[in-house]
Amino acid sequence: MKAKAILQSGKLFAALGAASATTAHADDKQAPPREFAAKVHYCTTCHGVSGQGFRGFYPIPRLAGQQPDYMKNQLLAFTQKRRTNTIMFSVAHVLSPEMLSALSSHFNKLDPKPLGGGPARLASEGKTIFTQGVSATNVPACATCHGDTAAGNGEIPRLAGQLSDYVVAKLANWDKERGQIASQPDASALMEPIAHGLTPDQIKAVAAYVSTLE
Amino acid sequence: MRSRLAEALLIAAASTILFAGLASPAGAEDPAIGNCTWCHGGGAQGYLPAPRLAGQQRAYLRAQLERFRMHGRDAPASIQFMWAAAENLSDGRMRALTDYLAALDTKPAMDGNPALEGRGRDIYQNGVADENIVACVACHGPHATGVGAIPRLDGLSHSYLVRRLTDWQNGYNRAGATPMPHIAGNLSPDQIDALSSYLSNTRYAGAAR
């Protein structure tokens, strides 16, 4: 499968268009400053003081440096149940469009060191997968979409510095958590064949690699 | 139920006797765990102000003992009862005690108000997003059994849970306790009562992970 071909397929652009249409008007209004500060404090209680991520009973992902469009789309996806997670559904469904935008640009600007804690010995194998893909199973290089430095772009997320256990859990459960409303296809469809094409060991390796990137 | 003052006096008297005993030259048998269960109850299941230690996460127990020793956990009950108990624990002894305690079976206190359990469960599982109250489940887990340095909460006594959350609200025990001081700070007395009722009445049969 060719990543470029998927990227240019109408499906993705339809999905991306739909998502940005829902959030575009939000930038006009501002979130009230006190409410905003309290909300940030609330998010960082779980996601770590600088948005670097935290290991609770579940891995709580890094938000620092995340692409604002990706983040907005995920917060909407939790609310609409395109992406299933009960904790984040409760968090996201009360956010106003202005708050959603303000939070997404706030976390994008943070740049703490990666939290670490991934299995470092797997990182070099992971780097090969990230930069070259796995030709035997037609898995494209992750870098084609996520970028050489894994910084992401638009609705394609940053993976740099992401908690490795979080990445492993997401790739292993892709079908059960993402793109859950058939009538509302979204960008998650692009990742589905990729998540499927990786073995559990390959997933661990690529997750270990991206978790070290700054 | 006894008043808090009466509890405090009782335990204070006990600790005087206990530490007088400890000061004398050690006998042939190390009374290691006996010293602790004197306050923490038979099988370390908790007694009056002293919480259950049985089945608690090992890394959490170690971190707390370290904090009593370094005086970072500084609420009145911590100072009064635990500073002396933790002071002379060697690292080896601390490791042996926490390994032992973490492996014990647990009994739930079951002393919460059953009428508040439903409300407590809802806050625990979902938080209250409008009030910026976080869902406890994200860190303490679906059965409140904790993980690593995050403690289990299922079956701890209602009075201990209330005191612990209130101590954070009052500015104690802040060292190393992130994110709990902020979390506790957002809770109302009613919410604390409901959460503590739910948790103390929770009985999780499986082993903590």
Side-chain angles (χ1 to χ4, degrees):
Chain A
M1 185 168 323
K2 289 281 188 301
K4 289 243 169 61
I6 320 176
L7 266 179
Q8 283 156 4
S9 75
K11 204 172 178 188
L12 173 66
F13 286 109
L16 298 186
S20 28
T22 20
T23 52
H25 69 279
D27 299 324
D28 310 335
K29 282 199 275 166
Q30 298 281 310
R34 284 204 24 232
E35 265 175 51
F36 173 69
K39 212 37 121 177
V40 169
H41 207 156
Y42 165 68
C43 310
T44 56
T45 302
C46 282
H47 286 275
V49 277
S50 316
Q52 76 277 30
F54 183 79
R55 289 193 169 85
F57 192 88
Y58 307 104
I60 305 180
R62 177 188 176 102
L63 300 178
Q66 190 49 279
Q67 293 293 335
D69 285 346
Y70 171 75
M71 191 155 149
K72 278 189 266 188
N73 186 38
Q74 295 309 303
L75 290 168
L76 287 175
F78 288 125
T79 305
Q80 296 165 355
K81 304 206 171 167
R82 282 186 277 124
R83 176 171 175 184
T84 52
N85 183 269
T86 47
I87 296 171
M88 279 306 300
F89 170 79
S90 305
V91 169
H93 84 282
V94 303
L95 300 176
S96 67
E98 303 85 69
M99 189 64 85
L100 222 117
S101 294
L103 290 169
S104 301
S105 45
H106 172 80
F107 283 106
N108 172 252
K109 293 190 199 101
L110 303 180
D111 189 25
K113 288 250 177 292
L115 188 64
R121 72 205 144 75
L122 299 178
S124 69
E125 184 195 340
K127 182 176 185 177
T128 311
I129 299 171
F130 190 85
T131 53
Q132 295 166 28
V134 184
S135 54
T137 44
N138 281 329
V139 172
C142 319
T144 29
C145 292
H146 291 277
D148 290 339
T149 56
N153 180 20
E155 278 201 33
I156 302 172
R158 169 189 171 122
L159 300 177
Q162 191 51 281
L163 275 59
S164 64
D165 36 359
Y166 169 77
V167 170
V168 169
K170 293 312 98 182
L171 291 177
N173 291 311
W174 199 268
D175 291 0
K176 296 186 203 89
E177 295 177 355
R178 308 266 185 143
Q180 297 300 297
I181 301 188
S183 59
Q184 281 174 261
D186 60 16
S188 68
L190 275 171
M191 266 304 295
E192 198 218 20
I194 297 166
H196 266 239
L198 297 169
T199 65
D201 285 343
Q202 288 166 339
I203 287 179
K204 279 189 208 129
V206 76
Y209 172 66
V210 297
S211 75
T212 62
L213 299 174
E214 296 196 10
Chain B
M1 215 207 252
R2 263 179 273 236
S3 76
R4 259 177 83 176
L5 179 65
E7 283 181 15
L9 289 173
L10 182 80
I11 302 285
S15 58
T16 314
I17 300 165
L18 184 68
F19 294 119
L22 279 182
S24 62
E29 261 188 346
D30 191 341
I33 196 67
N35 292 339
C36 314
T37 52
W38 214 103
C39 287
H40 286 275
Q45 297 297 330
Y47 184 64
L48 299 173
R52 185 185 74 194
L53 303 175
Q56 186 51 279
Q57 294 289 344
R58 188 191 324 248
Y60 172 76
L61 290 173
R62 261 180 222 168
Q64 298 308 306
L65 286 173
E66 189 60 40
R67 244 174 267 161
F68 290 124
R69 199 161 63 171
M70 306 303 285
H71 298 181
R73 187 161 164 180
D74 59 357
S78 322
I79 298 177
Q80 191 178 355
F81 303 118
M82 277 306 298
W83 281 16
E87 191 166 11
N88 295 315
L89 289 180
S90 67
D91 289 344
R93 174 95 168 275
M94 203 192 274
R95 216 170 304 125
L97 282 172
T98 50
D99 284 354
Y100 174 80
L101 290 165
L104 294 176
D105 278 344
T106 63
K107 283 199 210 92
M110 305 294 289
D111 60 350
N113 177 353
L116 299 178
E117 274 177 43
R119 171 136 191 260
R121 181 187 298 108
D122 187 36
I123 303 172
Y124 184 88
Q125 300 290 346
N126 302 311
V128 186
D130 282 323
E131 299 173 25
N132 293 334
I133 290 168
V134 298
C136 321
V137 66
C139 292
H140 291 279
H143 304 291
T145 52
V147 58
I150 302 175
R152 67 185 300 168
L153 305 174
D154 63 314
L156 293 179
S157 76
H158 180 270
S159 62
Y160 174 70
L161 289 165
V162 170
R163 188 175 73 240
R164 195 83 160 95
L165 292 166
T166 317
D167 282 344
W168 273 313
Q169 291 188 326
N170 293 337
Y172 299 114
N173 298 340
R174 296 191 156 246
T178 308
M180 284 312 300
H182 178 70
I183 292 175
N186 276 343
L187 297 169
S188 71
D190 285 355
Q191 289 168 329
I192 289 184
D193 193 10
L195 280 162
S196 303
S197 291
Y198 165 63
L199 289 166
S200 59
N201 290 3
T202 294
R203 187 195 289 271
Y204 181 63
R209 93 169 178 194

